[in-house]
Amino acid sequence: MHSKLALVCAVLLALPAAALAQDTKADVAAGSQAWEAGWNAGDAAAIAAVYAEDAIVLAPGAEPVKGRKAIQAYWQAAIDAAPGQTSKIETLEVHDHGEMAVEIGMYTNVGPDGEHVDHGKYLAVWVNVDGSWKIVRDIFNSSMAP
């Protein structure tokens, strides 16, 4: 009898944690979709809004980009260098660690003429900042040969 009661209690205690993990995964995926929408609209401010104030972007071939203002400038320069290019982001995994989550995903970039431009992978570390998930570390690289 006691073992059944213990099992029921354990299941009931695990349910809220499982529900929170699902919410985190959905929130992180929604944040990535907001990033994608910002890029596709050519809106670097919308992209930067997905990042925490003290975030760092670790882009290939570049020094770390530190802080939301610098991140916005970085993405604006990237948008300006690739006019009309769109990106599709696919969240593959989200590992929930309470107030922190790690996202692994893939991206595909297409030119304005529909030509495949690039594809690769990324890892983003998210933190919950006052109830909103924000990227604090972002690293990505192409899967295409240089």
Side-chain angles (χ1 to χ4, degrees), residues 29-41:
S32 288
Q33 293 307 307
W35 191 106
E36 176 185 300
W39 175 270
N40 292 342

Side-chain angles (χ1 to χ4, degrees), residues 89-144:
I89 293 176
E90 179 184 3
T91 299
L92 300 176
E93 302 174 14
V94 176
H95 301 274
D96 184 3
H97 300 282
E99 292 297 310
M100 181 182 79
V102 178
E103 176 193 21
I104 298 169
M106 303 289 292
Y107 69 87
T108 302
N109 293 346
V110 177
D113 58 358
E115 178 185 344
H116 179 94
V117 175
D118 188 20
H119 67 277
K121 58 270 182 204
Y122 67 90
L123 185 142
V125 178
W126 297 74
V127 296
N128 193 317
V129 179
D130 299 326
S132 179
W133 287 93
K134 300 289 184 184
I135 300 172
V136 290
R137 300 294 182 270
D138 183 10
I139 186 168
F140 59 95
N141 54 65
S142 176
S143 294
M144 295 176 65

Side-chain angles (χ1 to χ4, degrees), residues 4-77:
K4 286 183 183 178
L5 180 60
L7 178 62
V8 169
C9 288
V11 168
L12 290 175
L13 289 173
L15 287 176
L20 288 175
Q22 289 301 327
D23 288 346
T24 299
K25 290 177 183 181
D27 290 346
V28 166
S32 288
Q33 293 307 307
W35 191 106
E36 176 185 300
W39 175 270
N40 292 342
D43 187 348
I47 295 171
V50 178
Y51 292 87
E53 286 292 338
D54 60 348
I56 301 174
V57 171
L58 304 164
E63 294 298 319
V65 182
K66 299 179 181 179
R68 188 182 286 161
K69 186 175 182 180
I71 289 169
Q72 181 174 340
Y74 172 82
W75 287 119
Q76 187 62 59

